[in-house]
Amino acid sequence: MQRASGTVGTRRRRSPRAVAVGVLAATLTLLSPAALPAAAVGDGEPFRSRDCKNFQANAPISSWAVDRLQPQRAHELATGRGVRIAVIDTGVDNRRMPVFGKASVSVVNYAGYEQKVDAGSDLRDCQHGTQVTSLIVGGPTDGTNFIGMAPGATVIAMRSLESGPAAPDQSTPQEPQPIAPVVEAVRAATAEEVDIINISQSSTYDADYADAVADAIDAGIVVVAAAGNGGGGAADPPYPAAFPGVVAVGATGPNDVAPDWSQSHEELRVTVSAPGVKVLSANPAIDGESSWSSVDGTSFAAPLVTGVVALMLEREPDLTPGQVTRRLRRTADPTPRTAPDRQTGWGVVNPLAAVTDVVSSETPAPGPVASPTPAEDYRDRPPVDHSQRDTALAVAGGAVAVVLVAAVLAASLPAGRRRRWAPPRD
């Protein structure tokens, strides 16, 4: 398979099982490959961001999701540097917007050019992909506390959708889109040996899609998928979230409770949840300007988890997909519902805990845990006490330092005596 063009960054040296993929999912109806005209699929050629429709500049607000997750605490240890993420979505506007000022974002195309934003216009819909990408690698911006979960990571945006999924409260039916470009993008990302794949749609079952996702996981890719926005009444499970081995992400609000539309299904096992209600994200905008929206959907919860996975992989690049999943479950913050919950899984993702967890990654996830009730706003809770874990890490670090010093002395003293403490020879 041809490698996707336009990629940047250097891939870390990792075992074949240690490549990570994050998949975002939202509600979207996809057609079978048989319904797709051959000419509608791109071949990984560069996508021109100047073809994206811009949104009016506006002033940002504060991001409650950033306040809730506090990624800056984890950024003292990792920012995602060296981690490569494929965002499989709509196009992404990677021009000189302040939010992407220091981010490494390239865009390649696997979709067609049949749909246009406005009649008589050649502009394309890049809003959804840009919003998702900003939540992963967006940098600090004046006037807001906004920051992406992994601002040091590299994104390869793979355009596989001509328009973004419908919002949870959108009454207009979503126009069906072909699934073949999505499958092609997943396979290209696997061949590209990225560390994380981020996909923003859900569909009914498709055998080619299932094979592509399974191949990615077998290659060491952690697939993270949004659970979807169909609530509990959907007849079919959402894919790829319901595929085996995928990290499925639900949405929560400021009280850590899932909205009614965050999807559940008897064949779906939500792993963890993240903020997905009124989440501040960046829109496409002209050079040097910023445009912001507060958006709803599991599409925007999943990139937050993907960013956390990027932080984990910077610190421990050899984590396998199974180890990543178990750690996310084990370190999640409890929600007001007993875990695991059909909509929120094992709880709300905790960036710092996921990065600093020192328990063996082979430890199974804990059994059902009763969470506090009634629901309370996260802002009313006392801060989490991490002193015991921080002390344990400090003690462990001190012990390692003592061992290392002893080893160095043991090796250097005999050698120094042999040289009579003269400098070593070149």
Side-chain angles (χ1 to χ4, degrees), residues 251-279:
T252 53
N255 57 0
D256 286 352
V257 173
D260 291 341
W261 46 258
S262 189
Q263 196 152 336
S264 63
H265 192 277
E266 61 182 3
E267 296 182 33
L268 171 67
R269 299 292 182 267
V270 174
T271 307
V272 290
S273 50
V277 177
K278 299 294 183 285
V279 177

Side-chain angles (χ1 to χ4, degrees), residues 47 49 51-56 58 87 89-93 95 97 100 117 123-135 159 161-165 167 170 200 279 281-285 291-295 299-300:
F47 175 77
S49 290
D51 292 338
C52 295
K53 177 182 177 178
N54 294 324
F55 288 75
Q56 184 175 358
N58 57 18
V87 173
D89 207 285
T90 67
V92 172
D93 186 351
R95 290 170 293 183
M97 295 190 301
F100 291 146
V117 176
L123 296 178
R124 309 296 171 179
D125 181 1
C126 301
Q127 185 180 26
H128 194 266
T130 302
Q131 291 170 338
V132 165
T133 300
S134 72
L135 292 169
R159 180 178 179 265
L161 304 175
E162 294 198 57
S163 62
Q170 184 172 324
S200 248
V279 177
S281 62
N283 299 316
S291 176
W292 302 89
S293 291
S294 293
V295 290
S299 280
F300 309 109

Side-chain angles (χ1 to χ4, degrees), residues 16 20 23 78 83 86 109 119 163 179 195 213 220 241 246 274 276 313 317 331 333 341 343 357 413:
V23 177
V83 179
N109 180 61
S163 62
I179 197 171
D195 298 297
V213 171
V246 172
L313 292 177
T331 59
D333 292 334
D341 177 69
Q343 290 179 294
D357 183 58
L413 286 173

Side-chain angles (χ1 to χ4, degrees), residues 223-414:
V223 181
V224 183
N229 303 332
D236 299 315
Y239 295 101
F243 285 140
V246 172
V247 176
V249 181
T252 53
N255 57 0
D256 286 352
V257 173
D260 291 341
W261 46 258
S262 189
Q263 196 152 336
S264 63
H265 192 277
E266 61 182 3
E267 296 182 33
L268 171 67
R269 299 292 182 267
V270 174
T271 307
V272 290
S273 50
V277 177
K278 299 294 183 285
V279 177
L280 184 68
S281 62
N283 299 316
I286 63 173
D287 289 357
E289 299 287 347
S290 295
S291 176
W292 302 89
S293 291
S294 293
V295 290
D296 296 340
T298 55
S299 280
F300 309 109
L304 300 177
V305 174
T306 292
V308 173
V309 173
L311 303 182
M312 294 166 61
L313 292 177
E314 179 189 346
R315 296 266 292 179
E316 300 179 74
D318 292 329
L319 288 175
T320 67
Q323 290 171 332
V324 167
T325 298
R326 288 190 289 273
R327 182 174 296 186
L328 288 172
R329 289 173 175 169
R330 186 171 58 247
T331 59
D333 292 334
T335 71
R337 298 176 179 175
T338 299
D341 177 69
R342 288 169 59 88
Q343 290 179 294
T344 58
W346 292 91
V348 178
V349 68
N350 184 321
L352 181 63
V355 170
T356 59
D357 183 58
V358 294
V359 181
S360 170
S361 295
E362 294 304 320
T363 303
V369 177
S371 301
T373 55
E376 58 180 343
D377 192 293
Y378 77 95
R379 290 164 290 192
D380 297 330
R381 300 175 187 170
V384 179
D385 183 7
H386 295 284
S387 59
Q388 292 183 346
R389 180 174 64 218
D390 294 342
T391 301
L393 289 173
V395 171
V400 171
V402 170
V403 173
L404 290 175
V405 170
V408 170
L409 290 176
S412 60
L413 286 173

Side-chain angles (χ1 to χ4, degrees), residues 16-60:
R17 297 286 306 174
V19 185
V21 176
V23 177
L24 311 176
T27 52
L28 181 66
T29 303
L30 296 177
L31 299 177
S32 66
L36 178 70
V41 181
D43 193 29
E45 70 278 5
F47 175 77
R48 301 181 304 180
S49 290
R50 66 175 180 268
D51 292 338
C52 295
K53 177 182 177 178
N54 294 324
F55 288 75
Q56 184 175 358
N58 57 18

Side-chain angles (χ1 to χ4, degrees), residues 12 23 48 127 134 149 152 158 160 164 169 177 194 204 245 331-332 353 368 372 383 399:
R12 295 166 297 145
V23 177
R48 301 181 304 180
Q127 185 180 26
S134 72
M149 289 296 108
M158 295 183 169
S160 63
D169 58 353
Q177 295 191 57
V194 300
T204 55
T331 59

